[in-house]
C-alpha cells in the first residue's frame, strides 16, 4: 500500500491537516477487512449558511476476522482524492476515527469534521462530495475506498413573499413579490439566486394544503414578481424545489383578506 502525505487540498486559506493516505488509484483490499454502512450527517444533505462553521459526523462499520485495527475517513470535493480541491477538517488530532468494539470482529467507527464558509467552503465546491475511507485489521489486512459514500454540501437558501394590497376587493389584481437568496460563502453574506424556477402557491383559509398557481423565474438579483386575481381569503407563498447545490425552501404564507 503506497502512502503519501496530503498537506494541500486547498481552497482559499484552507490547508488540510497532514494525513497519510494512498496515492490516487483504484480501491484496494488485502485480506478480509470490510467497510460498510457509511452515513454522513445522519443521511441528510449538509446545508451550511453564509458564515457559521458547521460540524458534521461520519460513521461506518468495519469488520475483520482478526479484529479491527484502526480506521480513517476523509471528506473531499473532486474527481478523486488526489485531485481534490477542498476537504473537511477532522476534529481529531491525528485524523483517525474513533472505533467502538461491537464484538470480536466488528467495530463502529465515527469521526467529526468542520466545514467553514470562506475557508474550506467556497461557492465553487457546493454540490457533490465524497468520502475516502481506509480500515485495517489487527492482522494488517486492510481495505481502502476512494469513494465510500457520496453526499451533498449545499448553500443555505432563503425565500420571502409579500402579497399586496391587503385587504383587497374580490376580483381585483394583487401583486406577489419575493426574493430567493442563498449563502454566498465567498462573500460571507446571502446573494440572489438568479433565473431559478419558483412556484407561486395558494392555500385557502379553510384548507391545509397549497396548490400551485403558476411558475415564474427569479430575476438576475433573485427577485420574484407576478400578479394574480384575488378570489377568496387565503395564503400565498413561493416555493423553490432546490438544486444540487441549494436546498429546497418555501416561504411562510402571506395572508390576503378578500372583501
Amino acid at each position: 500500500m503506497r502512502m503519501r502525505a496530503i498537506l494541500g487540498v486547498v481552497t482559499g486559506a484552507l490547508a488540510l491537516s497532514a494525513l497519510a493516505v494512498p496515492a490516487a488509484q483504484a480501491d484496494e483490499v488485502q485480506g478480509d477487512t470490510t467497510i460498510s454502512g457509511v452515513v454522513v450527517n445522519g443521511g441528510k444533505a449538509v446545508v451550511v449558511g453564509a458564515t457559521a462553521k458547521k460540524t458534521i459526523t461520519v460513521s461506518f462499520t468495519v469488520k475483520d476476522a482478526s479484529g479491527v485495527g484502526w480506521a480513517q475517513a476523509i471528506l473531499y470535493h473532486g474527481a478523486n482524492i488526489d485531485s481534490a480541491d477542498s476537504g473537511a477538517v477532522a476534529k481529531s488530532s491525528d485524523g483517525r476515527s474513533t472505533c467502538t468494539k461491537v464484538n470480536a470482529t466488528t467495530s463502529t467507527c465515527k469521526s467529526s469534521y468542520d466545514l467553514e464558509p470562506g475557508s474550506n467552503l467556497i461557492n465553487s465546491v457546493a454540490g457533490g462530495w465524497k468520502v475516502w475511507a481506509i480500515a485495517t485489521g489487527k492482522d494488517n489486512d486492510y481495505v481502502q475506498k476512494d469513494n465510500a459514500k457520496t453526499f451533498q454540501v449545499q448553500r443555505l437558501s432563503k425565500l420571502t413573499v409579500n402579497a399586496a394590497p391587503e385587504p383587497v376587493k374580490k376580483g381585483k389584481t394583487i401583486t406577489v413579490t419575493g426574493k430567493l437568496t442563498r449563502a454566498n460563502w465567498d462573500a460571507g453574506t446571502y446573494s440572489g439566486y438568479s433565473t431559478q424556477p419558483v412556484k407561486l402557491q395558494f392555500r385557502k383559509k379553510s384548507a391545509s394544503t397549497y396548490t400551485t398557481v403558476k411558475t415564474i423565474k427569479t430575476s438576475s438579483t433573485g427577485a420574484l414578481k407576478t400578479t394574480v386575481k384575488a378570489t377568496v381569503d387565503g395564503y400565498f407563498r413561493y416555493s423553490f424545489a432546490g438544486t444540487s447545490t441549494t436546498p429546497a425552501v418555501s416561504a411562510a404564507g402571506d395572508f390576503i383578506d378578500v372583501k
Side-chain angles (χ1 to χ4, degrees):
M1 178 167 50
R2 293 178 293 157
M3 292 295 209
R4 66 181 176 83
I6 287 187
L7 299 174
V9 194
V10 224
T11 32
L14 167 71
L16 289 182
S17 304
L19 300 171
V21 300
Q25 53 194 296
D27 293 353
E28 292 184 40
V29 59
Q30 176 178 292
D32 65 347
T33 313
T34 63
I35 292 172
S36 63
V38 181
V39 177
V40 181
N41 195 40
K44 300 177 182 178
V46 180
V47 180
V48 186
T51 58
K53 180 190 297 184
K54 189 172 185 96
T55 299
I56 62 171
T57 299
V58 177
S59 62
F60 52 97
T61 299
V62 179
K63 292 185 178 182
D64 188 282
S66 69
V68 175
W70 59 271
Q72 181 180 4
I74 299 173
L75 281 55
Y76 70 96
H77 178 269
N80 54 60
I81 196 166
D82 206 39
S83 61
D85 55 7
S86 188
V89 178
K91 294 184 76 68
S92 63
S93 58
D94 61 2
R96 291 188 180 184
S97 303
T98 298
C99 293
T100 302
K101 187 176 179 179
V102 176
N103 55 45
T105 63
T106 306
S107 291
T108 299
C109 300
K110 185 178 294 186
S111 302
S112 293
Y113 305 83
D114 286 336
L115 289 164
E116 185 173 7
S119 180
N120 54 353
L121 289 185
I122 59 174
N123 295 342
S124 62
V125 303
W129 281 51
K130 299 173 182 176
V131 178
W132 180 95
I134 189 170
T136 69
K138 290 183 177 178
D139 57 0
N140 292 322
D141 285 351
Y142 72 90
V143 60
Q144 172 239 303
K145 293 186 175 184
D146 187 64
N147 182 9
K149 186 73 174 181
T150 58
F151 64 101
Q152 297 298 117
V153 178
Q154 298 179 319
R155 299 160 62 178
L156 178 65
S157 53
K158 296 183 178 183
L159 188 55
T160 62
V161 66
N162 182 56
E166 196 274 326
V168 63
K169 288 184 179 181
K170 184 175 182 179
K172 294 294 185 180
T173 297
I174 60 171
T175 300
V176 187
T177 57
K179 190 169 187 179
L180 175 64
T181 59
R182 60 176 177 165
N184 184 333
W185 295 333
D186 297 349
T189 186
Y190 286 84
S191 301
Y193 198 4
S194 65
T195 63
Q196 296 301 307
V198 177
K199 294 178 180 179
L200 174 66
Q201 298 181 325
F202 181 73
R203 174 172 70 85
K204 291 181 180 180
K205 184 179 179 180
S206 59
S208 59
T209 58
Y210 280 88
T211 301
T212 298
V213 178
K214 63 173 75 173
T215 299
I216 63 173
K217 284 192 174 182
T218 57
S219 72
S220 60
T221 62
L224 292 157
K225 185 176 182 180
T226 191
T227 58
V228 292
K229 296 290 185 181
T231 58
V232 65
D233 288 357
Y235 300 84
F236 282 96
R237 75 174 186 183
Y238 281 117
S239 184
F240 173 58
T243 64
S244 62
T245 62
T246 310
V249 62
S250 293
D254 187 30
F255 183 72
I256 283 291
D257 182 13
V258 179
K259 299 297 186 180

